[in-house]
């Protein structure tokens, strides 16, 4: 079996799983469902684990952003994308280590750090099928002081971000760098949060893998081995610690922290993966 699969049990409550799995679960009287128990592989290429991890990511970043806005209501949000050239599979792990270190250096530059309140770093890896190479890059949600936009001493243009990233990553070419302010339609906290979640979606989506994709699976397994793809800094990291939020990548993928109240009773539906049929079935 090339593609990682998880065994799980779904339980009546809020989240409808029928669109995520081949079988159609029975519904409670109110027509709602929630994941109750799951034996997760936590493999980064597993569609089920990635789906749960994505939901957990959205729950946590929502809580962190809301609290950050309360503490620093005049702060502004930016979305920064940092790229490097594509690499072959055998060089992916080493390149990801270099990216993490380059990002650490970038955040330490005086012009970057002096107006930085907090950040979320998310590393994504996509594949160029035609060239059989991988494109590692970093998405960053930046929370900056309002003084960032006041004058040239504080403001960093896209060209400056490019120069700083080139320097911190020790590149001999000019990389593609994109930076833009997040501007919601209204100034309400809910609208700001929605804009942020839309912009900073969970970056590592599972690729469509088949029997012919054995090499891709192997490249990704080795490339992502012991690599942290999501990290918080500054006020975001402080708030995450204060709220005692679980680790997104390696923590609990069942209880995401969005449940209003625990479930005490209800009918359990057992759904298992059938390798021969390449599908899930209700036991």
């Amino acid at each position: 079996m090339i593609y990682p699969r998880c065994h799980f049990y779904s339980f009546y409550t809020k989240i409808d799983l029928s669109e995520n799995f081949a079988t159609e679960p029975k519904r409670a009287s109110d027509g709602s469902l929630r994941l109750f128990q799951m034996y997760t592989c936590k493999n980064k290429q597993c569609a089920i684990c990635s789906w749960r991890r994505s939901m957990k990511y959205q729950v946590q970043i929502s809580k962190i952003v809301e609290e950050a806005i309360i503490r620093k209501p005049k702060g502004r949000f930016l979305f920064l994308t940092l790229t490097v050239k594509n690499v072959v599979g055998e060089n992916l792990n080493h390149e990801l280590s270099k990216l993490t270190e380059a990002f650490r250096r970038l955040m330490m530059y005086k012009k970057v750090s002096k107006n930085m309140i907090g950040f979320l770093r998310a590393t994504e890896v996509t594949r160029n099928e035609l060239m059989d190479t991988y494109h590692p890059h970093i998405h960053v949600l930046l929370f900056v002081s309002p003084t960032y936009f006041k004058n040239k001493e504080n403001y960093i243009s896209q060209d400056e971000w490019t120069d700083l990233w080139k320097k911190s990553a020790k590149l001999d070419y000019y990389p593609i760098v994109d930076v833009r302010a997040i501007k919601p339609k209204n100034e309400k906290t809910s609208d700001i949060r929605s804009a942020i979640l839309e912009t900073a979606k969970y970056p590592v989506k599972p690729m469509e893998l088949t029997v012919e994709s054995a090499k891709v699976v192997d490249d990704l397994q080795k490339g992502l081995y012991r690599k942290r793809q999501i990290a918080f800094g500054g006020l975001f990291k402080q708030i995450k610690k204060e709220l005692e939020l679980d680790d997104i990548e390696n923590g609990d993928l069942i209880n995401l922290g969005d449940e209003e109240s625990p479930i005490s009773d209800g009918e359990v539906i057992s759904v298992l993966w059938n390798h021969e049929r390449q599908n899930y079935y209700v036991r």
Side-chain angles (χ1 to χ4, degrees):
M1 179 170 60
I2 289 179
Y3 199 59
R5 299 288 179 178
C6 292
H7 294 250
F8 62 93
Y9 297 91
S10 56
F11 203 77
Y12 292 139
T13 189
K14 298 180 181 177
I15 301 172
D16 183 1
L17 302 180
S18 62
E19 294 182 1
N20 295 281
F21 306 105
T23 57
E24 183 175 358
K26 294 180 180 179
R27 298 179 181 274
S29 58
D30 62 356
S32 59
L33 295 166
R34 191 183 76 193
L35 195 64
F36 171 66
Q37 185 177 357
M38 178 178 180
Y39 299 99
T40 57
C41 64
K42 294 187 178 179
N43 191 299
K44 292 184 178 181
Q45 298 174 60
C46 174
I48 305 302
C49 290
S50 292
W51 166 62
R52 297 298 296 179
R53 202 176 283 116
S54 174
M55 294 173 64
K56 184 174 184 177
Y57 165 87
Q58 293 187 46
V59 169
Q60 289 198 8
I61 193 60
S62 294
K63 292 181 177 180
I64 292 171
V65 165
E66 285 181 357
E67 181 61 27
I69 292 174
I70 292 173
R71 299 188 188 187
K72 301 287 185 178
K74 294 184 179 180
R76 298 285 299 275
F77 289 94
L78 305 175
F79 191 67
L80 174 68
T81 301
L82 306 166
T83 74
V84 292
K85 288 182 178 180
N86 287 18
V87 296
V88 294
E90 51 263 36
N91 295 337
L92 181 59
N93 189 279
H94 179 63
E95 188 64 31
L96 288 174
S97 296
K98 288 171 58 179
L99 275 183
T100 301
E101 180 60 22
F103 178 77
R104 185 191 67 80
R105 287 193 291 266
L106 178 66
M107 292 296 103
M108 292 177 66
Y109 291 142
K110 184 177 180 180
K111 195 167 184 180
V112 175
S113 63
K114 67 178 181 178
N115 285 308
M116 185 67 59
I117 299 175
F119 67 81
L120 162 67
R121 171 186 64 79
T123 303
E124 180 179 12
V125 178
T126 56
R127 180 169 177 258
N128 184 317
E129 295 185 11
L130 183 63
M131 303 298 294
D132 191 22
T133 57
Y134 298 87
H135 180 51
H137 52 284
I138 296 176
H139 298 296
V140 193
L141 177 64
L142 300 171
F143 189 38
V144 298
S145 168
T147 58
Y148 177 87
F149 294 94
K150 294 291 185 181
N151 49 55
K152 292 182 179 180
E153 286 69 33
N154 293 309
Y155 180 72
I156 305 175
S157 67
Q158 182 161 311
D159 287 342
E160 286 181 285
W161 276 113
T162 301
D163 289 335
L164 290 171
W165 177 238
K166 179 178 182 292
K167 179 181 177 182
S168 64
K170 300 180 180 180
L171 304 175
D172 58 1
Y173 57 90
Y174 279 93
I176 296 175
V177 172
D178 181 76
V179 62
R180 59 191 65 190
I182 297 178
K183 298 179 180 179
K185 295 180 180 179
N186 299 299
E187 294 301 321
K188 297 179 181 178
T189 300
S190 58
D191 291 328
I192 295 174
R193 183 183 65 180
S194 297
I196 291 169
L197 290 178
E198 179 64 26
T199 308
K201 290 179 179 178
Y202 185 70
V204 186
K205 300 169 285 294
M207 298 180 185
E208 291 295 327
L209 302 176
T210 62
V211 176
E212 291 77 18
S213 303
K215 181 181 181 300
V216 178
V217 174
D218 188 58
D219 287 342
L220 292 174
Q221 287 287 90
K222 293 176 179 178
L224 296 173
Y225 178 66
R226 300 185 70 176
K227 294 292 180 286
R228 176 161 290 280
Q229 292 176 261
I230 298 174
F232 297 87
L235 182 60
F236 287 0
K237 184 176 182 179
Q238 178 185 334
I239 292 174
K240 184 177 186 297
K241 183 178 180 180
E242 292 175 1
L243 296 179
E244 298 182 344
L245 299 177
D246 189 30
D247 183 76
I248 293 177
E249 296 191 62
N250 301 312
D252 185 2
L253 295 181
I254 302 170
N255 302 300
L256 305 179
D258 60 340
E259 297 85 1
E260 295 179 1
S261 60
I263 299 299
S264 58
D265 56 10
E267 180 183 356
V268 175
I269 305 171
S270 177
V271 186
L272 302 176
W273 173 254
N274 185 308
H275 178 56
E276 293 182 356
R277 297 182 179 180
Q278 290 291 295
N279 209 338
Y280 290 97
Y281 69 95
V282 178
R283 184 173 63 181

